[in-house]
Amino acid sequence: MEISKDNILKDDMGFLFKKLAIPGIIGMFALGLYNFVDAIFIGQFVSKEGLGAITLAYTIVLINQSITTLFGNGAMSVLSRAIGKNDSNKIEKIAGNVLILTFLFSLILTIIVNVYAKNIISFLGGKNEILNLAVDYVKVLSLGFVFASSGPALNFLIRAEGRMKTAMKMVFISIFMNIILDPIFIIGFKLGIKGAAWATVISQITYFIINILYIQKSSSYAKIKSFNLNFDIILNILNPGISVMALNIVAIIQQIIIFRLLAKYGGDFHIIIMGTCLRVFMFFYTPLWGIGQALASVSGINYGAGNVHRTYFSLKYFNIIGTIISFMCWLIFMLFPEFILSLFINNTEYIVDGAPLFRILLSVFFIYSIEVNYISFFQALGKGLHASILTIGRLVIIFIPSVYILSYFMQSDGIWISLPLADILITITGAILIKILKTKQMKRVTL
């Protein structure tokens, strides 16, 4: 059963969470398997230096993902509100603009990466074997950047229609292919780290093809009807999209700072452990965006229809369930860090010494669903500035000063502590912004 606009406007919130968020969680969980599975195969069948290599290369992948979030998340917000307002003129222009923009920007990135890969990885802190492996990996991976951005961007449009289950099925097909191809290319064809990259590229091309075929044949609102760029549509996409892209930009800058400081104060051990921890973090953090995207659909369509009370109730409900889920993940992290690290690393010393650092990095995971929901909620309401305060403010006002100050006095330990500290402070800021915005809008409703 697919969810209609009327369902989102009238049905019980628990029903909507079940039908929208759970498929979204599963779909984003599957999407996170791309990097997770690659890391396991590389760590076990290439080397621990290979883990460091894909960690540094992931910073470049984040740049391409920021293209997806800019245009995909932005278009998702615009489409959900347009559906709520029955704005057919706007609806029919969105998909074509998204596809052109993602292709164009990712193509430019592909060219830059192939020309300057070694310089970029070296700047990020790569040296010796880690540098060479990272260059090999990212040069192959970049060949699929246009598909890696356009496929998910189109999938966001399917989610905006409330078709979370359909979107999830497409993700599963792609990730299942990646899981099958990884051992074939890495072990069977003996391509090593390049094999992992080729497996990902082929899977991403498949994902793109499936999404575009579905949109053209079965989508109710997201069909591509023209490829004419529309300036007004682009601006509408950019407003909420920039706030979410800012989250990726923050992650990129954050990773650059982290790994350059770790190279200075900690060396390869800390780079490899941090890379492994971030892989685990993203694997469990990405599904929380499934909740956030479902919330964006529910709150965006209700807000577009003028249902302000229901809009804020959706945030409260999704926050409660999301916190329960993220708390369960937190318990796993605190209880079994050695086991989790052993999935990626077969060096006992690295596992034992890395466990305390793993616990520090993931010490506040139970608040991350709330943080994600605040950003998604602001985006859905078209409040790009509010969302940007949470993303950019976290980096500029909190993280950058704290990581440099703490690393100066505490060396590598200060780097690990600065990450959870920034998330605590920015979640508190988000709660304050929500309170202010809700008070203003509720006053308008009662007038």
Side-chain angles (χ1 to χ4, degrees), residues 82-121:
I83 293 172
K85 295 178 180 179
N86 292 313
D87 190 344
S88 58
N89 182 54
K90 180 178 289 186
I91 289 171
E92 68 182 18
K93 296 176 182 177
I94 294 173
N97 279 263
V98 169
L99 191 57
I100 292 175
L101 292 168
T102 52
F103 251 89
L104 178 62
F105 279 81
S106 288
L107 180 60
I108 294 170
L109 179 62
T110 298
I111 296 170
I112 293 172
V113 169
N114 271 275
V115 174
Y116 299 106
K118 189 169 185 177
N119 303 78
I120 296 171
I121 298 297

Side-chain angles (χ1 to χ4, degrees), residues 173-447:
I173 292 172
S174 177
I175 190 59
F176 183 68
M177 177 174 287
N178 190 53
I179 292 173
I180 292 174
L181 293 179
D182 257 336
I184 293 174
F185 280 81
I186 295 173
I187 305 170
F189 294 162
K190 298 181 180 180
L191 293 176
I193 201 166
K194 288 183 179 180
W198 278 116
T200 300
V201 169
I202 294 171
S203 302
Q204 289 168 340
I205 293 173
T206 303
Y207 184 56
F208 168 77
I209 293 172
I210 293 171
N211 274 276
I212 201 166
L213 288 176
Y214 174 83
I215 280 178
Q216 291 305 95
K217 291 183 178 181
S218 305
S219 174
S220 301
Y221 299 100
K223 282 186 172 64
I224 301 171
K225 296 186 176 180
S226 75
F227 288 102
N228 296 322
L229 290 176
N230 183 287
F231 187 69
D232 289 335
I233 293 295
I234 294 173
L235 287 180
N236 284 329
I237 291 172
L238 291 178
N239 180 32
I242 284 175
S243 65
V244 186
M245 183 192 71
L247 191 63
N248 280 75
I249 299 300
V250 165
I252 293 165
I253 296 173
Q254 178 177 283
Q255 288 209 17
I256 291 172
I257 293 172
I258 287 172
F259 289 115
R260 286 180 66 84
L261 286 175
L262 285 177
K264 177 180 179 181
Y265 292 113
D268 285 354
F269 165 74
H270 280 273
I271 290 176
I272 292 169
I273 295 299
M274 176 64 79
T276 305
C277 292
L278 289 177
R279 292 274 165 170
V280 175
F281 169 79
M282 289 305 299
F283 181 61
F284 287 90
Y285 178 74
T286 302
L288 299 181
W289 281 99
I291 300 175
Q293 288 169 6
L295 172 63
S297 294
V298 174
S299 58
I301 290 176
N302 276 281
Y303 187 72
N307 298 336
V308 178
H309 287 281
R310 185 170 168 84
T311 298
Y312 281 93
F313 177 71
S314 68
L315 174 64
K316 179 181 178 180
Y317 189 93
F318 279 61
N319 269 351
I320 291 172
I321 305 300
T323 300
I324 293 172
I325 293 171
S326 56
F327 180 79
M328 291 170 64
C329 294
W330 175 82
L331 279 178
I332 294 172
F333 300 149
M334 296 303 104
L335 293 174
F336 308 109
E338 291 88 355
F339 171 74
I340 295 172
L341 289 175
S342 70
L343 295 175
F344 304 88
I345 303 170
N346 50 25
N347 184 302
T348 303
E349 183 179 353
Y350 272 49
I351 293 171
V352 173
D353 292 343
L357 300 175
F358 182 93
R359 285 194 175 99
I360 291 172
L361 186 70
L362 297 164
S363 59
V364 297
F365 194 87
F366 52 86
I367 68 170
Y368 285 131
S369 182
I370 295 175
E371 181 181 308
V372 167
N373 285 347
Y374 284 162
I375 295 169
S376 299
F377 185 77
F378 286 135
Q379 175 205 3
L381 270 58
K383 305 296 181 182
L385 177 60
H386 292 69
S388 294
I389 289 173
L390 298 186
T391 53
I392 298 174
R394 178 190 180 280
L395 175 74
V396 177
I397 300 174
I398 301 174
F399 174 72
I400 291 179
S402 65
V403 73
Y404 279 105
I405 292 171
L406 291 175
S407 64
Y408 179 80
F409 290 103
M410 303 173 66
Q411 285 72 53
S412 59
D413 287 344
I415 302 169
W416 291 86
I417 294 171
S418 63
L419 290 162
L421 174 64
D423 288 312
I424 291 172
L425 296 178
I426 210 61
T427 302
I428 294 172
T429 302
I432 294 171
L433 292 175
I434 288 288
K435 180 66 175 177
I436 293 172
L437 183 63
K438 181 179 179 180
T439 301
K440 286 182 179 180
Q441 292 182 336
M442 288 301 184
K443 283 183 180 179
R444 292 174 188 169
V445 172
T446 55
L447 290 178

Side-chain angles (χ1 to χ4, degrees), residues 1 7 48 56 77 118 282 294 317 368:
M1 173 185 174
N7 292 131
K48 63 181 185 296
L56 297 182
S77 173
K118 189 169 185 177
M282 289 305 299
Y317 189 93
Y368 285 131

